Amino acid sequence: MGAFHAMLSGIAQRITARFPDNSAVALAHYRSFKKVAFFDLAIIVDGVVADREQTIRRQQEAIRELSTPTLQVRERLLILPIIGLLDSHRAKQLTDTLLQAIRAHCAKVVVVDMTGVSTVDSKVANHLIQTVEAARLMGATAIITGLSADVAQSLVTLGVDLSRLNTMGDLQGGIEKAEQLLGYAERNTERARHLAD
Amino acid sequence: MSVPILKQGDVLIASVQAALTDHDLLHLKDEQANKVGYFRTRGVIIDVTALDVMDSFATRTLRNLAAMTHLRGAETIIVGIQPDVAVSLVQLGLRLEGVATALDLEEGLAWLAQPREA
């Protein structure tokens, strides 16, 4: 910008030098030149801004895709780990991802792991309940796991009715419960006991 | 357009093919109620895979249908609710309480085949 300004003033000096006795003509020349120069400048700025916006959009898209993966751990059992801040936009996207994944994988149980979520407000909590209900309408059971002490406390303080939710302490508990629902025998705990001996 | 009701063993399958008017829904309810008694049906499956819109009236009618079928000694399961429909139903506060749901027809049949305490 500074260089551009310096160039313009240099040109203005030269124009006034060429028309020393007729400043009105010099001014007219300078004006028409300035119009072209600013037009150029506008095109450059537009290009830079558009390029930057495109980069930002691409990165946002990438973040969005990264933020809600769905993992299939067993036949008909999905895990949905949520990490980071849950805002209402992301919560909506979570619902969409979850429901599409249920359809795509014919899932019967979905474990939503919220270990990586540090705060939940009432709006997001409501959305979570709606997601669980929608999953039920599609014939799948949703289990919420890993609600941290802070989140649990704030939800109870907010007075959000979470009695309809199926919650477990940690991801392991959630998966064990899901296996129970899917009818897997509890052989893992047997083996764990055996290994511990 | 009326909904065809198919009989498969002791299960009745109502397969909804297109968007239904309120009149069609009521007709479905009446017909289902009659057939459940007539065929001594054990289970009723309502397949809504083809529906991309479900309003409050449809939801209420289906819930009534399920309650009615229960009174006549059979169980009802609604299968194939699309993701978008599920979201909009929940957002409208229509939770289909007391009605079983499953992902698709196969799931529904498997659910009805499970033995369960009365």
Side-chain angles (χ1 to χ4, degrees):
Chain A
M1 231 35 175
F4 195 79
H5 183 73
M7 188 186 87
L8 267 188
S9 48
I11 287 169
Q13 270 169 14
R14 269 194 212 173
I15 289 175
T16 38
R18 183 169 280 197
F19 301 98
D21 46 355
N22 198 343
S23 65
V25 176
L27 191 64
H29 272 88
Y30 178 65
R31 273 209 183 126
S32 58
F33 176 76
K34 204 171 70 174
K35 206 186 272 178
V36 175
F38 271 92
F39 184 63
D40 268 2
L41 186 69
I43 288 177
I44 293 169
V45 168
D46 264 7
V48 169
V49 167
D51 190 52
R52 190 151 302 173
E53 265 180 6
Q54 203 182 358
T55 314
I56 290 173
R57 212 171 302 136
R58 219 171 28 229
Q59 281 171 348
Q60 265 178 348
E61 198 95 340
I63 291 172
R64 212 172 295 148
E65 274 182 19
L66 279 176
S67 62
T68 40
T70 46
L71 317 167
Q72 184 167 21
V73 276
R74 276 174 191 278
E75 209 172 305
R76 336 211 55 196
L77 169 56
L78 287 180
I79 292 189
L80 203 85
I82 308 173
I83 293 173
L85 197 70
L86 257 186
D87 54 9
S88 52
H89 176 76
R90 217 181 135 197
K92 186 174 164 2
Q93 193 215 340
L94 173 93
T95 313
D96 289 349
T97 319
L98 180 70
L99 296 185
Q100 300 291 351
I102 288 174
R103 173 124 298 213
H105 294 98
C106 285
K108 199 146 182 67
V109 182
V110 187
V111 180
V112 181
D113 181 48
M114 314 246 305
T115 314
V117 180
S118 49
T119 50
V120 172
D121 62 4
S122 61
K123 216 167 158 186
V124 171
N126 248 329
H127 209 100
L128 211 63
I129 294 172
Q130 290 189 349
T131 308
V132 172
E133 288 286 338
R136 192 190 76 84
L137 285 179
M138 290 192 55
T141 312
I143 301 173
I144 312 278
T145 67
L147 286 175
S148 70
D150 285 348
V151 172
Q153 216 158 59
S154 68
L155 285 181
V156 172
T157 318
L158 282 168
V160 182
D161 178 24
L162 293 169
S163 55
R164 274 199 300 267
L165 291 187
N166 215 340
T167 51
M168 291 299 279
D170 55 2
L171 184 60
Q172 186 187 350
I175 293 178
E176 274 168 15
K177 171 124 186 183
E179 285 179 340
Q180 234 173 50
L181 287 174
L182 286 168
Y184 287 108
E186 288 194 45
R187 58 192 155 71
N188 286 346
T189 48
E190 271 305 308
R191 199 169 59 193
R193 213 171 295 140
H194 181 75
L195 283 173
D197 282 344
Chain B
M1 200 190 103
S2 69
V3 178
I5 299 177
L6 318 169
K7 184 172 160 306
Q8 154 76 40
D10 48 8
V11 175
L12 286 180
I13 302 171
S15 174
V16 179
Q17 299 296 338
L20 296 176
T21 62
D22 292 358
H23 180 77
D24 293 334
L25 276 164
L26 291 175
H27 183 71
L28 169 70
K29 193 174 76 163
D30 293 345
E31 204 178 330
Q32 195 76 274
N34 285 329
K35 286 202 172 173
V36 167
Y38 183 75
F39 290 122
R40 301 180 51 79
T41 306
R42 201 172 47 81
V44 172
I45 296 179
I46 299 167
D47 184 3
V48 295
T49 310
L51 281 190
D52 42 16
V53 175
M54 267 172 88
D55 59 6
S56 56
F57 184 80
T59 319
R60 193 161 60 89
T61 311
L62 289 183
R63 218 173 58 199
N64 288 348
L65 198 157
M68 212 171 56
T69 316
H70 182 71
L71 288 179
R72 303 207 61 172
E75 288 180 279
T76 305
I77 182 163
I78 298 176
V79 303
I81 297 179
Q82 298 291 337
D84 296 344
V85 177
V87 172
S88 57
L89 281 185
V90 171
Q91 275 170 355
L92 288 170
L94 308 166
R95 297 184 187 277
L96 278 172
E97 290 110 339
V99 186
T101 48
L103 189 66
D104 52 22
L105 191 58
E106 205 180 341
E107 283 293 307
L109 284 168
W111 186 81
L112 286 174
Q114 274 171 19
R116 60 176 67 79
E117 67 275 20

